[in-house]
Amino acid sequence: MGPFAFATSLFLFLIEICQQVDGIGSKCDIYKGKWVFDASYPLYNSSNCPFIHQEFNCQNNGRPDRLYQNFRWQPTSCNLPRFNGKDFLRKFRGKRIMFVGDSLGLNQWQSLTCLLHTATPQDPYISQRVAAISTFSFPTYGVSIMFLRNAFLVDIVNEKDRRVLKLNSIGNGRIWKGYDVLIFDTWHWWLLTGRKQPWDYVQDNNITRKDMNRTIAYKKALRTWARWVNLNVDPAKTKVFFQGVSPDHVDSRDWADPTAKTCRGETWPILSTEYPGGSPSPQDVLKRVLRSVSKKVHLLDITGLSQLRKDGHPSAFGYGGHRGNDCTHWCLPGVPDTWNELLFATLIQT
């Protein structure tokens, strides 16, 4: 490509990005809206994304309905740009993006890798895992998308044959440095008890306990994370996002349906703009902590819109099969694709 052709291509690309940003509008809240049927969705077919983890691949696991894939998030006051994988890769050429968190972060990471791969199926990709970091890279563009599993963000340390959750320690933060975009999440593992709980004691400053109020522990850990951001992030070099609390649908009373019990068998979203169950308390805690961060952190506020998608979970078509009932994670294609459309919209705005 000659210099003139390259300049023309770049100019047209920038015009397209500016049109997308203008379509969003600075006063539009892209998180307020409703789900609408759109036959042009989903954005990809699961059969064209061979690396989807089994627990998210609902169609491959035998889910008989497909309508849950045909809904698009429509903000009330503007239009959300349709995700464009080629634009994403061109805009982030040479960049490194890392998701840090639990399996809901993994859910979003898998969605993004599928969106990008299916947009450029002719381009080679490299998928590998080294220690705790999974990397999906596109050599043609020099783009790498990483996922680091760290369910609590703060440290779990082995001390005298016991596992201690340290609410004020974040030594693993050294791994997060140097990335162009960071997307964090945490919450669901804070609820685990018994054999599923990955720690034996919890330490807050110099006090070590067998257990404590989980919401308070979560808040203290978020404050530790906030201090790490204030001390270590240069907003000119790194954009930081925090994924809002991903809702589960384990109790139909939350969406005021006496005929159901859980998400199992749900095939239709809630088409109103408000969720009957209201905002979950950990989301309110997260918002308060984020307001205390002096550096710029974008809340990927996916909680309310995801609450409306009781139909989007694997239920009996996840990892556990018909013996399981996963009302926490999300089918792919599905709701996390919208999370990434919102991520893309925010990135092109900034």
Side-chain angles (χ1 to χ4, degrees), residues 33 124 261 289:
K261 291 184 178 180
V289 172

Side-chain angles (χ1 to χ4, degrees), residues 116-187:
L116 296 176
H117 168 64
T118 55
T120 59
Q122 73 285 352
D123 289 326
Y125 68 85
I126 300 172
S127 179
Q128 60 183 350
R129 179 173 178 175
V130 178
I133 301 178
S134 298
T135 302
F136 198 99
S137 56
F138 296 85
T140 303
Y141 298 90
V143 174
S144 296
I145 318 289
M146 287 82 163
F147 171 71
L148 172 62
R149 186 180 290 274
N150 187 335
F152 298 94
L153 301 184
V154 293
D155 298 332
I156 297 178
V157 178
N158 290 316
E159 293 183 348
K160 298 178 181 179
D161 296 324
R162 62 182 190 176
R163 301 164 299 173
V164 182
L165 176 64
K166 293 179 174 280
L167 301 179
N168 313 108
S169 174
I170 202 157
N172 285 324
R174 66 186 183 279
I175 304 174
W176 312 339
K177 294 180 180 180
Y179 287 87
D180 300 286
V181 181
L182 291 168
I183 305 106
F184 295 94
D185 87 286
T186 184
W187 167 242

Side-chain angles (χ1 to χ4, degrees), residues 62-329:
R63 181 165 176 169
D65 62 304
R66 294 179 178 268
L67 196 62
Y68 68 94
Q69 299 180 340
N70 301 126
F71 284 89
R72 171 176 57 81
W73 180 247
Q74 177 61 56
T76 301
S77 304
C78 59
N79 291 317
L80 190 65
R82 188 181 180 93
F83 189 91
N84 187 313
K86 290 184 178 180
D87 280 357
F88 189 104
L89 289 168
R90 288 199 298 261
K91 181 174 176 59
F92 288 94
R93 184 182 295 272
K95 304 296 186 183
R96 299 194 306 159
I97 299 169
M98 175 175 272
F99 290 83
V100 183
D102 57 24
S103 53
L104 278 309
L106 173 65
N107 220 166
Q108 186 178 0
W109 175 76
Q110 279 252 287
S111 161
L112 183 57
T113 58
C114 285
L115 286 165
L116 296 176
H117 168 64
T118 55
T120 59
Q122 73 285 352
D123 289 326
Y125 68 85
I126 300 172
S127 179
Q128 60 183 350
R129 179 173 178 175
V130 178
I133 301 178
S134 298
T135 302
F136 198 99
S137 56
F138 296 85
T140 303
Y141 298 90
V143 174
S144 296
I145 318 289
M146 287 82 163
F147 171 71
L148 172 62
R149 186 180 290 274
N150 187 335
F152 298 94
L153 301 184
V154 293
D155 298 332
I156 297 178
V157 178
N158 290 316
E159 293 183 348
K160 298 178 181 179
D161 296 324
R162 62 182 190 176
R163 301 164 299 173
V164 182
L165 176 64
K166 293 179 174 280
L167 301 179
N168 313 108
S169 174
I170 202 157
N172 285 324
R174 66 186 183 279
I175 304 174
W176 312 339
K177 294 180 180 180
Y179 287 87
D180 300 286
V181 181
L182 291 168
I183 305 106
F184 295 94
D185 87 286
T186 184
W187 167 242
H188 286 273
W189 280 64
W190 292 92
L191 300 174
L192 297 181
T193 59
R195 296 177 64 181
K196 292 183 177 181
Q197 177 182 298
W199 48 268
D200 306 306
Y201 292 86
V202 57
Q203 184 181 90
D204 178 22
N205 291 316
N206 295 322
I207 301 174
T208 302
R209 302 180 176 92
K210 189 68 176 174
D211 205 349
M212 66 181 292
N213 180 284
R214 300 305 179 87
T215 302
I216 293 175
Y218 165 71
K219 180 171 64 176
K220 288 178 179 289
L222 286 178
R223 287 175 174 170
T224 299
W225 168 86
R227 286 193 294 273
W228 182 91
V229 171
N230 285 336
L231 291 171
N232 293 280
V233 170
D234 179 354
K237 297 179 180 179
T238 303
K239 291 181 172 63
V240 180
F241 290 81
F242 208 108
Q243 182 199 94
V245 172
S246 177
D248 58 37
H249 290 90
V250 297
D251 188 345
S252 65
R253 290 175 296 184
D254 290 340
W255 62 92
D257 183 359
T259 66
K261 291 184 178 180
T262 69
C263 73
R264 190 163 189 157
E266 295 291 335
T267 59
W268 197 260
I270 298 169
L271 297 180
S272 64
T273 58
E274 299 292 335
Y275 186 65
S279 177
S281 60
Q283 176 72 354
D284 300 332
V285 170
L286 173 61
K287 287 182 176 180
R288 287 196 295 271
V289 172
L290 292 184
R291 285 195 291 267
S292 73
V293 183
S294 61
K295 301 293 179 67
K296 181 65 175 177
V297 177
H298 302 272
L299 172 62
L300 198 61
D301 197 1
I302 53 89
T303 305
L305 62 94
S306 303
Q307 284 180 312
L308 303 175
R309 294 305 307 270
K310 55 186 172 62
D311 60 317
H313 299 286
S315 65
F317 304 99
Y319 185 76
H322 291 284
R323 292 174 296 177
N325 189 33
D326 185 353
C327 295
T328 299
H329 300 99

